[in-house]
Amino acid sequence: QVQVVESGGGLVQAGGSLRLSCAASGRTSRTYAVGWFRQAPGKERELTAAINWSGDKTYYADSVKGRFTISRDNAKTHYLQMNSLKPEDTAIYYCAMDRSYALVTDLSGYDYWGQGTQVTVSS
């Protein structure tokens, strides 16, 4: 089993930056595919960025391309750097992990989820 905990959310003004962290514990002897999702009130959960197990493939939603960057330090720590934030980026952000060796872009493809961290961008 893998436990996932997000941190780094908060309140920021439009144009500002935040870095979200995702800490994994448990069976993390190897790297996993990681995705950062977000869910705004009344909307479906959507993928913003993903990285495959080896780190050589990434995916970004069009809405965040050029502003968000997904990265990892090691098998246990992953990040989502968010720059030029907009009010429409306001949501709960979730980190998800999966044992797959592929780049996972579907919500149902992830086995392990964190509880989420709130990001609020004021105008």
Side-chain angles (χ1 to χ4, degrees), residues 50-73:
I51 189 167
N52 71 334
W53 76 282
S54 61
D56 63 342
K57 294 181 181 178
T58 56
Y59 164 88
Y60 294 96
D62 287 343
S63 58
V64 307
K65 204 169 291 183
R67 301 187 298 121
F68 290 13
T69 303
I70 188 170
S71 64
R72 60 162 55 100
D73 261 354

Side-chain angles (χ1 to χ4, degrees), residues 61-104:
D62 287 343
S63 58
V64 307
K65 204 169 291 183
R67 301 187 298 121
F68 290 13
T69 303
I70 188 170
S71 64
R72 60 162 55 100
D73 261 354
N74 48 52
K76 296 181 181 293
T77 309
H78 307 81
Y79 303 102
L80 183 68
Q81 178 67 42
M82 306 186 296
N83 299 328
S84 302
L85 283 162
K86 305 175 181 180
E88 51 263 44
D89 294 318
T90 295
I92 298 174
Y93 282 72
Y94 299 89
C95 177
M97 300 177 69
D98 191 77
R99 292 190 186 91
S100 173
Y101 289 98
L103 182 65
V104 182

